[in-house]
Amino acid sequence: MPPIITPIPPFQPDLYQRAWASIPHPSLPLIATPHATSVTIFSLATLSKHSVLTGGHARSVRTAAWQPGMSAGRLRLVTGSFDATAGLWSYNSDKDKKGLEKEVKFGEGEGDEEEEEEDWEFNLVLEGHENEVKSIAFSPTGQYLATSSRDKSVWIWEDVGDGAGPGEEDDGGEWETVAVLNEHEGDVKAVAWCPDVEGRVGMSGRYSSDVLASASYDNTVRIWREDSDGEWVCVAVLEGHEATVWGLQWEPRPREGRFPRLLTFSADKTVRIWTLKVEEAEEEEGMTNNPWGGIPNTMRTELKEEWECTDVFPRVHSRDVYSATWSKDTGMVASAGSDGIIALYAEDATPKEDVDMESATNAAAPATSRWKVLAAVEDGHGPYEINHITWCKRFDPGTERKGEEEMLVTTGDDGVVRPWQVRIP
Amino acid sequence: MSAILSVDDLNDFISPGVACIKPIETLPTAPPPSQDPSSLDYEVILDGQPSSSSGSDPPAQISLTDCLACSGCVTSAEAVLVSLQSHNEVLNVLDSAPALQLSGPDASGLYTISGLENSQSKLFVASVSPQTRASLAAACDHGITSEQAGRMIERLLMSKEGLAGGGKYQNPFTWMVDTNTARTACLVLGSDEVLGQGANKPTTPVLTSSCPGWVCYAEKTHPYVLPHLSKVKSPQALTGTLLKTTLSRLLGISPDRIWHLAIMPCFDKKLEASREELTDAIWAGDGKPGRGVRDVDCVITSKEILMLAASRGIDFFSLSNSAPPQKQPPFPDPTLHRFLFPSSQTHKQLRPAGTSGGNLHYILHDVQARHPGSQIQTVRGRNADVVDYAVVAPSGETIFKAARYYGFRNIQNLVRKLKPAKASRMPGGKPFGSAKRPAGKAATLDYAYVEVMACPGGCTNGGGQIKADDQVIIDRKSLPAKPGPPEQKAWLAEVDEAYFSADDPDTGVDLGADSGGNPDSVDGIYPSRIRDTLVHWASMVGIPLDRLVYTSYREVISDVGKSQVTDTERVVQLAGKIGGGW
C-alpha cells in the first residue's frame, strides 16, 4: 500500500533558526514563517524564499497573521512577538521602488531577492500587553484583531482609520483597543476567530456574529462574544483538558446548518473536539425570529453557552501536541508535536445522533470516537520538535491541481519548513 | 492595573526571575572578594540573593509605599500590604488605647484635650464617600437613601449601639465628615486649574487625577502622561489634609495623634493613602514627599464596613437610619464647621455628572456660566464609557472640548494618542508608528480636559463596593446563586439610583441646568465662597494654600524588565545565539 504522507523537498533555504509556525496566505501562493526575530515569506510556487521581514521586533517573533480583505496587490502581515508588541507590516507590489521597477509575479517568484529588506515596510506597533504576545488572529472580515499574551489577557483591536485608497501608501491604519478580556487564569497561548460559515450566526439577536475562542495555560478554552451593549463577554468555559491547551481551530466547514465545532490540542497529549450544546427548543424551531428561542425571558438568567467535549482522538502522541490543523476541503485533521510525530485523522461519515451523549464525554471510552488514525509519520523533523502543522494548497510543479490539492506543511526546531504530500489511496 | 482589585482576585503569580526593586536599593555594595586562598573559587549565587561574603544584612523592609505600583510581584505584595489597611486594623487601633477626650467648647469656642499622657491615645475621625453610602443604601431594604445610609454609618462609628459600645475601651469616633464637602473644593480648584492662567498649569489636555488606579497605572506604565495630570488633590486627600492640619492646630495636638479613617469604594484608595506625597512632610516639613504622618491613616472599603460591624457582632442593617440623638461636636472653627457640615444639601448629585465626583460636569457648567447662552453638546463614543462633550456658543463656535474616558480599554486608546513620537527601532532610524502620523491627525485629541476613571461605569462600580455576587446581596435580594451580567447591571442601577437620590424621597426635583439662575453659583456651588473658605483655612493653619491643595506625581522606575546585563540576561543572549527562542 503506497504511503499516505510523503515528504516533498523542503522550502529553501534552511532558516538555521528555530521556526515557530507557517501561515499560508488565504488566497495567494505565499506562506509566512516566523523564526528568531524575523519572518520569512516563502513562495508556494517555487518552494523558495520570496521576502523577509526584519528589524521590527526586539525579541522572538512567534506568530503571524495575514490580514484578510486587502485590495489586490497589497499585503498586510501582523506579527506577534515576545517583546510584548504586535507589529503591522505592509507590502505593496505595485509600488515603484526608487525607480527600480521590480516585477514580482506571484506564482513565479523569479524576482531578484537582494533587496528584500525594502519589500516589507514596518508600519505600526501595537503596544499594551504587559509581556510576551503569544498569538494573534484576524476576524473573518479583518475588522477585529485579537492578541493574547502571557499576561493572561486577550485584547481585541479595531482599525478605525480610513484605510489606504488606491495608489496611496498603506500607513498601517489607526488602531483602537476595543476590549481587554481578563478572565483566563494563566498564559493565553492561542486565539482563533470562528470563520464566516453558515452555521455561525447561531443565537442571533443576543450577540453579534463574531465569536472568539482562546486557549490557555489554565487548561481551559474560553469563548467570547459581543453583547448588545458592545461589551465582549465570556460566554463559555471549556474544561476537560488536563494540561495547557496549546491551541485551537474552528471547524472550517461545519455540517449542514450546525454551529462550527472546536478542535483543541494540549500538553496532555490529546486532541479533542468540542460541540456547542443547542437547547432542544431552539433546535426544533430552527432559526426563529424570537431571539429567546421561545423560552420565557425570566428563565434565561444567564447569557451563557454550554459546550461539551464530544470526541477525544485516538492516542498517537507521546508528548505535547503543539499543533493541529483541520482541512476545509477534506475534513481531515493532522497533528504534530514535541515527539516529532505527524498524525493524520479522518472522521466517520455517519453523524452521531444515536450515540448516547454521556459516553461521548467520557474521555476514557475511545470506542465511541468517530475519528480514526489514517497515518502517522515518525521523526518528521528528525529529533527536533515540530512546532506547527497546517494544511496548505499546492502551487508547486509536483501537483496537477494547482491551488486545489492540499498538502501539509510542518515547521520545526530544526529551522526547516517541510511540505508533505498527502494522497489517500 | 489594580483598578478592579478585590480580595478574591489575589493570587500568588510571580513571574520567575523577577527582581524586587527595593532590596537592590538597600543592599550595601558587596565587599571585595576575600584574599584567603582557602576560600572557594566558585560560588553559586541565586537570583536576587546576596552572596555569602556580604555578611548579614538586615532583612530588606518593604512598606506599602515602596511597593506602590511596582510591577515586580505586585500581586502578592498587594495582597499582604493592602490587608494592613483593613477592618481588623481599625479594630486593633480602636483597642490599642483609650481615645483622647474632648471637653468643651468653652465660651470662646476652645476645646481642651485630655488623655494625652498615654502616648498611644488618639482622636478618631472618619470620612465617608458618597459611593459607599449609595452602596450600603442599595443593600438595605428598598427605598433607603444614601443620606439615611450615612446616618447608619454614623451610628456604627459614633454611637453606643455601634463600635463605641464594645471593644476594650468603647472608643467612639469624634467626627465623621462627608467627602462631598471637600469635593466641592476640588471641583472649584479643578476648574480654576483648567480655565485659569496659572503658571503651574498642567499640559493640555488636563486629566483628572482623583482616581488612584489611573494615577498608579500612569506612573508605572505611561509616565509621559504625568505632565497632563491635574495637580489638585482628590477629595479623600483633601479631606485628610484639612482634618489633620486644622485639628492639630486648633486642638494643639500633633498630627500623629489624629487617626483618620476613610471609607471608600475601591482598594486603590488604600494605595493612595500610602503615598509619600500625602503626608505631613509636604505641609509641615520641607515640602518634599517623604515618610511622615499620613493625611489618611487607613482606608476601608464599602464591603469592609459590613465586616467591621460583623466583627463586633453588630448587624449593620439593623441599625436605625434616623439621625443619631447625639449630634457631632461643633468643629473647632466656625467657618470650617459650616463648610464641613452644611445645614442643607446644597449640591445635589446630578445624573449627567456621573458617579465619580463630577469634575468634568462642573467644568463644563463653569465654562457655560462664563459664556452665557452657550450649550453643552454630548456625543457618545464607541461605548458607554467614552463620551465627547463640547460647549458651543450661540454663534456655533466651539468654545471648549472635553471628554470622559472610563475603563482600561478606553484609557489605552487615550494614552496611545498622548504618546510622544518615539525613535524608531529600525536600522537607519526611519520613524514609524505614531511618529509617522501626519501632524494633522494629532488634532483628534484637541480636548482641554478629560475625565479619566479606571472603573467602567464610574466609582459606584468600584472594586470595593458591594457587588451583586456578594452573598449578602444574594441573600437580601433573592438573586440566583450565580448572578450573571443582567443581575449585575440591575444591581449597579440600584446603587446609582441611591447615589442620585435626595434626602427626602418625595422631592424628586431635578435641578437641571440652573446656570441661568444665580450668576454666582455653578451647579449649586458658590465658587467664591469656596475660595474664601480655602483662604481662611490656609491662613488659619499658617501654611501656603499651594501646599495644602496641590500634589505631585512621579514616575515609578523599576529594574524589572529593563535591559541591564544581569546574569539572567547574559544567559538569554547566549541561548539566543545558539538558536534558542527567547
Side-chain angles (χ1 to χ4, degrees):
Chain A
M1 190 166 89
I4 295 177
I5 305 176
T6 44
I8 300 170
F11 285 84
Q12 294 300 327
D14 277 9
L15 298 168
Y16 293 110
Q17 295 173 323
R18 276 190 208 167
W20 301 107
S22 294
I23 317 291
H25 190 280
S27 51
L28 298 169
L30 295 172
I31 192 164
T33 302
H35 54 99
T37 57
S38 319
V39 177
T40 295
I41 313 286
F42 293 103
S43 155
L44 289 170
T46 62
L47 301 185
S48 62
K49 183 163 81 170
H50 167 275
S51 51
V52 176
L53 290 68
T54 52
H57 287 291
R59 285 179 70 185
S60 185
V61 179
R62 290 297 180 108
T63 178
W66 295 94
Q67 175 146 9
M70 300 293 289
S71 49
R74 287 190 201 272
L75 298 175
R76 205 192 264 176
L77 193 72
V78 181
T79 49
S81 165
F82 270 24
D83 65 9
T85 68
L88 260 81
W89 308 70
S90 61
Y91 182 104
N92 193 341
S93 61
D94 304 332
K95 199 165 61 170
D96 204 36
K97 295 181 184 53
K98 295 185 181 174
L100 219 175
E101 234 165 336
K102 182 171 176 164
E103 265 189 326
V104 180
K105 291 202 183 76
F106 291 123
E108 291 172 44
E110 61 201 355
D112 152 80
E113 308 287 38
E114 281 165 1
E115 308 206 332
E116 65 249 351
E117 287 79 15
E118 296 194 10
D119 297 349
W120 286 90
E121 214 174 295
F122 191 12
N123 293 133
L124 201 53
V125 162
L126 296 177
E127 290 177 319
H129 277 295
E130 287 176 41
N131 46 45
E132 294 85 353
V133 171
K134 298 292 176 111
S135 174
I136 56 179
F138 272 103
S139 68
T141 56
Q143 181 187 9
Y144 294 124
L145 175 69
T147 57
S148 75
S149 160
R150 180 168 71 80
D151 66 10
K152 310 182 213 172
S153 67
V154 174
W155 289 42
I156 301 181
W157 309 74
E158 190 179 11
D159 185 354
V160 298
D162 299 324
E168 274 179 14
E169 205 173 294
D170 187 352
D171 65 350
E174 209 177 301
W175 292 82
E176 273 196 356
T177 313
V178 168
V180 175
L181 308 168
N182 278 311
E183 294 186 43
H184 271 294
E185 292 165 22
D187 187 355
V188 186
K189 302 288 190 186
V191 279
W193 292 92
C194 182
D196 189 7
V197 291
E198 215 185 282
R200 173 172 84 140
V201 180
M203 294 190 278
S204 66
R206 267 200 243 173
Y207 300 111
S208 71
S209 46
D210 278 313
V211 193
L212 179 66
S214 57
S216 165
Y217 175 79
D218 67 9
N219 307 356
T220 68
V221 168
R222 283 178 195 259
I223 314 275
W224 312 85
R225 288 184 187 259
E226 187 181 5
D227 71 9
S228 45
D229 290 335
E231 300 290 324
W232 284 84
V233 291
C234 176
V235 296
V237 180
L238 279 55
E239 289 169 318
H241 273 296
E242 290 156 22
T244 302
V245 186
W246 281 112
L248 69 185
Q249 184 184 346
W250 291 89
E251 185 171 13
R253 198 180 48 161
R255 289 163 296 177
E256 179 84 35
R258 289 183 190 274
F259 197 80
R261 293 176 287 172
L262 206 51
L263 172 79
T264 61
F265 40 93
S266 160
D268 68 3
K269 309 166 200 153
T270 65
V271 180
R272 299 184 194 219
I273 298 230
W274 308 74
T275 309
L276 173 66
K277 257 169 127 171
V278 178
E279 311 249 348
E280 274 128 30
E282 276 190 36
E283 242 183 347
E284 283 160 15
E285 299 182 41
M287 307 285 264
T288 60
N289 290 329
N290 181 354
W292 304 114
I295 294 182
N297 200 353
T298 50
M299 289 173 69
R300 289 189 171 238
T301 47
E302 286 185 32
L303 305 172
K304 297 261 183 192
E305 296 181 348
E306 259 194 75
W307 285 73
E308 57 177 349
C309 176
T310 48
D311 296 272
V312 179
F313 282 25
R315 286 284 189 103
V316 172
H317 290 285
S318 57
R319 290 160 67 136
D320 295 29
V321 184
Y322 285 145
S323 181
T325 177
W326 202 341
S327 165
K328 185 171 178 181
D329 290 355
T330 61
M332 289 194 285
V333 171
S335 67
S338 170
D339 55 7
I341 293 177
I342 301 167
L344 188 65
Y345 315 81
E347 189 176 13
D348 268 340
T350 52
K352 206 177 177 181
E353 256 85 75
D354 309 321
V355 180
D356 184 28
M357 289 309 257
E358 275 175 42
S359 58
T361 52
N362 185 352
T368 56
S369 172
R370 298 163 295 156
W371 290 80
K372 56 185 194 297
V373 182
L374 291 181
V377 171
E378 288 189 10
D379 299 328
H381 284 246
Y384 292 94
E385 292 191 336
I386 303 181
N387 295 319
H388 190 260
I389 185 169
T390 180
W391 289 104
C392 182
K393 293 277 196 288
R394 288 187 75 167
F395 292 88
D396 57 283
T399 178
E400 286 147 13
R401 300 184 291 134
K402 282 204 171 75
E404 286 180 20
E405 180 179 349
E406 277 196 325
M407 61 178 176
L408 285 170
V409 175
T410 55
T411 319
D413 273 357
D414 54 351
V416 181
V417 182
R418 290 181 196 279
W420 302 82
Q421 173 179 281
V422 178
R423 297 230 172 113
I424 311 293
Chain B
M1 187 162 77
S2 58
I4 324 273
L5 179 70
S6 79
V7 183
D8 310 319
D9 292 342
L10 304 168
N11 66 58
D12 277 312
F13 176 77
I14 303 178
S15 343
V18 149
C20 174
I21 58 173
K22 277 302 154 181
I24 290 175
E25 289 182 20
T26 56
L27 275 180
T29 51
S34 100
Q35 302 301 318
D36 182 359
S38 65
S39 71
L40 298 167
D41 285 324
Y42 302 101
E43 187 184 86
V44 176
I45 302 174
L46 298 171
D47 221 87
Q49 306 236 346
S51 66
S52 59
S53 57
S54 64
S56 55
D57 301 307
Q61 300 245 342
I62 311 172
S63 72
L64 185 57
T65 316
D66 295 325
C67 250
L68 202 70
C70 160
S71 61
C73 54
V74 73
T75 343
S76 1
E78 266 188 7
V80 169
L81 299 167
V82 149
S83 69
L84 287 181
Q85 288 189 38
S86 64
H87 65 283
N88 286 320
E89 170 76 0
V90 177
L91 294 172
N92 289 342
V93 174
L94 284 173
D95 281 347
S96 60
L100 294 175
Q101 301 294 331
L102 214 61
S103 37
D106 63 12
S108 46
L110 290 174
Y111 285 99
T112 37
I113 295 273
S114 51
L116 283 164
E117 53 283 353
N118 186 337
S119 60
Q120 296 288 329
S121 290
K122 299 196 196 286
L123 188 70
F124 296 102
V125 295
S127 55
V128 184
S129 68
Q131 295 87 0
T132 299
R133 294 201 306 272
S135 189
L136 290 167
C140 292
D141 301 320
H142 185 70
I144 301 291
T145 66
S146 39
E147 285 290 309
Q148 290 168 310
R151 287 182 218 134
M152 289 164 78
I153 300 174
E154 213 179 314
R155 281 179 183 264
L156 177 69
L157 296 178
M158 301 171 71
S159 310
K160 284 292 162 202
E161 70 233 58
L163 299 176
K168 215 159 154 199
Y169 299 104
Q170 282 102 50
N171 286 333
F173 279 76
T174 311
W175 280 294
M176 190 182 103
V177 303
D178 182 358
T179 56
N180 267 342
T181 54
R183 189 179 77 183
T184 56
C186 295
L187 294 176
V188 173
L189 288 163
S191 185
D192 287 346
E193 192 185 30
V194 176
L195 303 175
Q197 306 298 320
N200 237 355
K201 187 176 159 171
T203 327
T204 311
V206 179
L207 310 175
T208 323
S209 58
S210 56
C211 174
W214 155 237
V215 170
C216 288
Y217 177 68
E219 286 180 330
K220 173 176 60 151
T221 325
H222 301 287
Y224 53 83
V225 156
L226 296 181
H228 293 275
L229 287 179
S230 162
K231 296 191 176 52
V232 178
K233 285 185 180 172
S234 70
Q236 168 180 299
L238 198 66
T239 308
T241 313
L242 180 64
L243 290 174
K244 292 262 177 158
T245 52
T246 52
L247 288 176
S248 63
R249 169 65 65 115
L250 294 167
L251 299 176
I253 53 178
S254 71
D256 65 349
R257 292 295 208 144
I258 305 166
W259 199 79
H260 177 200
L261 172 73
I263 307 166
M264 290 287 150
C266 73
F267 280 79
D268 287 323
K269 283 291 180 188
K270 302 191 187 211
L271 296 179
E272 181 183 302
S274 337
R275 288 176 73 90
E276 287 183 356
E277 289 87 349
L278 298 174
T279 62
D280 71 347
I282 296 282
W283 45 265
D286 58 2
K288 293 199 183 49
R291 309 279 168 110
V293 177
R294 310 218 287 225
D295 286 348
V296 180
D297 293 288
C298 181
V299 175
I300 60 173
T301 62
S302 318
K303 263 197 270 218
E304 289 174 300
I305 281 280
L306 299 179
M307 293 173 0
L308 183 65
S311 302
R312 281 280 182 86
I314 305 165
D315 176 16
F316 182 80
F317 299 108
S318 63
L319 290 169
S320 158
N321 57 44
S322 59
Q326 209 174 5
K327 289 195 72 165
Q328 298 190 37
F331 207 76
D333 177 278
T335 312
L336 290 176
H337 180 90
R338 276 195 297 277
F339 175 67
L340 290 170
F341 302 100
S343 51
S344 61
Q345 194 184 9
T346 51
H347 174 58
K348 188 175 168 219
Q349 316 277 30
L350 298 168
R351 258 172 220 278
T355 59
S356 299
N359 291 283
L360 173 60
H361 182 85
Y362 179 81
I363 293 176
L364 288 173
H365 280 245
D366 199 358
V367 172
Q368 201 184 14
R370 297 180 196 207
H371 297 90
S374 51
Q375 295 279 334
I376 297 177
Q377 287 175 353
T378 309
V379 178
R380 207 190 98 146
R382 65 171 308 131
N383 54 58
D385 290 318
V386 180
V387 191
D388 275 9
Y389 298 90
V391 181
V392 178
S395 61
E397 178 205 340
T398 306
I399 306 167
F400 187 82
K401 285 182 85 164
R404 157 202 291 199
Y405 275 69
Y406 288 10
F408 185 65
R409 59 181 172 160
N410 297 315
I411 291 176
Q412 285 301 305
N413 294 328
L414 175 72
V415 146
R416 197 170 299 124
K417 291 181 201 163
L418 290 173
K419 194 165 184 174
K422 206 169 69 167
S424 164
R425 278 185 262 186
M426 293 282 274
K430 187 172 66 172
F432 66 86
S434 50
K436 217 179 172 195
R437 302 262 164 267
K441 275 210 180 169
T444 49
L445 203 63
D446 56 357
Y447 305 124
Y449 186 80
V450 182
E451 182 173 274
V452 183
M453 293 290 155
C455 297
C459 297
T460 40
N461 197 24
Q465 293 284 74
I466 306 173
K467 297 286 159 114
D469 51 12
D470 281 339
Q471 198 57 45
V472 64
I473 300 299
I474 294 177
D475 292 341
R476 290 183 72 87
K477 307 280 174 180
S478 314
L479 293 180
K482 274 199 186 174
E487 282 82 22
Q488 286 163 1
K489 284 189 187 167
W491 168 248
L492 187 59
E494 271 192 63
V495 179
D496 285 348
E497 194 60 44
Y499 183 82
F500 293 117
S501 64
D503 183 25
D504 185 349
D506 290 325
T507 58
V509 176
D510 187 18
L511 283 183
D514 74 335
S515 52
N518 190 336
D520 287 336
S521 85
V522 178
D523 281 356
I525 299 175
Y526 292 83
S528 46
R529 283 190 215 162
I530 301 283
R531 291 189 200 111
D532 288 344
T533 310
L534 291 171
V535 167
H536 169 82
W537 168 26
S539 67
M540 191 247 290
V541 297
I543 300 171
L545 190 62
D546 286 3
R547 283 210 200 171
L548 295 171
V549 304
Y550 293 119
T551 182
S552 59
Y553 310 97
R554 52 177 154 166
E555 187 180 340
V556 174
I557 302 172
S558 93
D559 278 339
V560 175
K562 289 288 155 72
S563 50
Q564 288 173 330
V565 188
T566 61
D567 283 326
T568 320
E569 279 290 307
R570 255 190 271 127
V571 168
V572 168
Q573 282 175 10
L574 287 171
K577 287 190 169 76
I578 57 170
W582 280 82

